[in-house]
Amino acid sequence: KTPASADTSKTDTGKKTKYLSQPLISSIYTADPSAHVFNGKIYIYPSHDINAGIPENDNGDHFAMRDYHILSMDSIGGKVTDNGVALDIKDIPWAGRQLWAPDAAYKNGTYYLYFPVKDKQDVFHIGVATSANPAGPFKAEPQPIAGSYSIDPAVFTDTDGKTYMYFGGIWGGQLQRWITGKYEPNGSKTDSKQEDAPAISCKVALLKPDMKNFDGAAKNAVIVDSLGKPLLTKDHNRRFFEGSWMHKYNGKYYLTYSTGDTHLLCYAIGNSPLGPFTYKGVFMKPVEGWTTHHSIIEIKGKWYIFYHDTQLSGKTHLRNVKVTTLEHNADGSIKLIDPFL
Ligand code: FUB
């Protein structure tokens, strides 16, 4: 394993390149960082990557994570604490395998950890666990959230107090197998395969006040082009793949997401948390490693993006989380971030 102090690596072009920022911790591998500020402290809810010895494939079987560790820090640049195991797959009654990217929320004295995991039939659903402490340990509910499916929950509470969950991911995330509303075990392994049809949308569901249930069925968070037409399946540089996040800036709703096989982080802006969202552009170039997954938060008037790459391991399933600044331009666009200097 490369020491955390190393700041160079070979890129695809074979050129030695400096990274924009350094891993937040090197004692364990972490990915998919969902950051929040609770009680004035920064908490990061990441995946905990491990080497399970499973060969890489397009289904993501090599991402065979088994628990979560929550990281915390008093300020950006401050000491990072690993708070130990917050939830173990063995304590989730319905779980089969693969604890993927989580997120968290707070309401009325309780912290909620939302997590995707495959059930015992190998179908991804999203579960919820609760704790009185933002760093856990968390206790999982006995069943997944009714009506939930696929991966990558991102939970956003609007200024009116309503909370929404954005979720979904195609390919290994199985979203393409839910097109009919029920799981098709023999459905496509990648996308819809209908290149000229609208791309599969990220999903959005309003949460009930108990934070443990959807208030009605999840809807499509549709991403449209500048003419108002939905992006198409073949538009791999712009269409949604996985890893959504929502932040509100100057009254507008920014849906940010990964394009997966083209490795970009893009943003689309809407006037409502339910969309539609108009595609605006790329805001982060590809990181080192296949996956790219982020969260965006505001701390004391400054905006930050938490993201991951594979600086420490050089292996796509052994990632490390990072943070850097994110800037909105005066016109509401987001300044393009290059993860390399
Ligand atoms: O960590 C497993 C998966 O990789 C996540 O769910 C995706 O967003 C990608 O980062």
Side-chain angles (χ1 to χ4, degrees):
K1 196 163 110 179
T2 315
S5 57
D7 67 349
T8 58
S9 146
K10 284 205 173 210
T11 63
D12 292 343
T13 60
K15 212 173 66 186
K16 285 267 184 191
T17 309
K18 284 202 162 194
Y19 296 97
L20 176 64
S21 64
Q22 292 299 308
L24 288 176
I25 57 161
S26 58
S27 48
I28 58 170
Y29 292 113
T30 53
D32 309 322
S34 293
H36 291 275
V37 178
F38 294 131
N39 304 322
K41 205 166 160 166
I42 303 163
Y43 290 88
I44 306 163
Y45 298 82
S47 299
H48 175 199
D49 284 354
I50 53 165
N51 201 350
I54 297 170
E56 279 185 32
N57 59 27
D58 283 350
N59 206 30
D61 286 339
H62 47 306
F63 295 100
M65 298 83 105
R66 301 196 57 83
D67 64 17
Y68 293 118
H69 285 227
I70 292 155
L71 311 178
S72 56
M73 53 214 254
D74 288 333
S75 59
I76 299 288
K79 179 175 172 282
V80 179
T81 302
D82 171 358
N83 294 281
V85 176
L87 180 65
D88 193 298
I89 197 164
K90 70 174 166 39
D91 298 320
I92 303 168
W94 56 275
R97 62 177 182 137
Q98 296 181 296
L99 268 184
W100 282 13
D103 194 16
Y106 169 79
K107 187 174 176 182
N108 295 341
T110 300
Y111 295 88
Y112 297 85
L113 179 70
Y114 299 94
F115 57 88
V117 67
K118 281 181 178 162
D119 65 14
K120 297 185 198 301
Q121 286 72 47
D122 232 24
V123 180
F124 269 117
H125 292 281
I126 296 167
V128 57
T130 54
S131 176
N133 183 330
F138 283 85
K139 183 163 173 41
E141 293 291 306
Q143 298 291 336
I145 296 175
S148 75
Y149 49 91
S150 196
I151 59 166
D152 290 358
V155 177
F156 164 75
T157 299
D158 204 351
T159 32
D160 63 3
K162 286 187 179 159
T163 301
Y164 301 85
M165 181 187 290
Y166 299 83
F167 65 93
I170 60 174
W171 293 32
Q174 303 177 334
L175 190 56
Q176 71 281 357
R177 294 186 166 188
W178 287 93
I179 291 173
T180 61
K182 76 176 199 355
Y183 185 71
E184 298 166 42
N186 300 317
S188 170
K189 285 196 162 149
T190 55
D191 51 31
S192 72
K193 296 289 178 203
Q194 295 172 28
E195 295 294 291
D196 290 309
I200 294 169
S201 290
C202 172
K203 303 290 161 185
V204 54
L206 178 65
L207 291 188
K208 283 194 174 164
D210 70 2
M211 301 290 274
K212 293 178 181 173
N213 287 286
F214 289 172
D215 192 351
K219 297 183 167 60
N220 288 327
V222 179
I223 301 168
V224 298
D225 64 16
S226 56
L227 301 174
K229 296 215 170 80
L231 300 185
L232 303 181
T233 302
K234 65 185 176 192
D235 196 350
H236 290 224
N237 280 318
R238 299 195 298 172
R239 61 93 173 88
F240 169 79
F241 188 104
E242 64 184 3
S244 58
W245 189 258
M246 171 58 60
H247 76 276
K248 194 174 183 180
Y249 180 77
N250 277 351
K252 301 279 186 196
Y253 297 86
Y254 285 64
L255 178 67
T256 47
Y257 59 95
S258 162
T259 60
D261 55 345
T262 49
H263 319 289
L264 302 168
L265 290 182
C266 294
Y267 69 111
I269 300 179
N271 292 317
S272 149
L274 300 173
F277 301 95
T278 304
Y279 177 87
K280 292 293 180 186
V282 175
F283 72 96
M284 192 172 206
K285 293 183 179 178
V287 295
E288 186 182 38
W290 200 96
T291 66
T292 181
H293 189 122
H294 74 294
S295 64
I296 295 170
I297 56 169
E298 185 183 17
I299 306 169
K300 295 183 182 147
K302 281 191 76 175
W303 290 85
Y304 296 90
I305 175 171
F306 289 75
Y307 65 104
H308 70 224
D309 66 16
T310 58
Q311 178 178 343
L312 291 178
S313 75
K315 293 194 170 50
T316 217
H317 64 294
L318 297 176
R319 301 160 290 180
N320 46 259
V321 299
K322 297 185 164 186
V323 61
T324 194
T325 50
L326 177 132
E327 286 176 68
H328 299 89
N329 295 310
D331 64 359
S333 59
I334 303 179
K335 210 169 257 178
L336 180 64
I337 301 166
D338 187 339
F340 298 102
L341 291 173

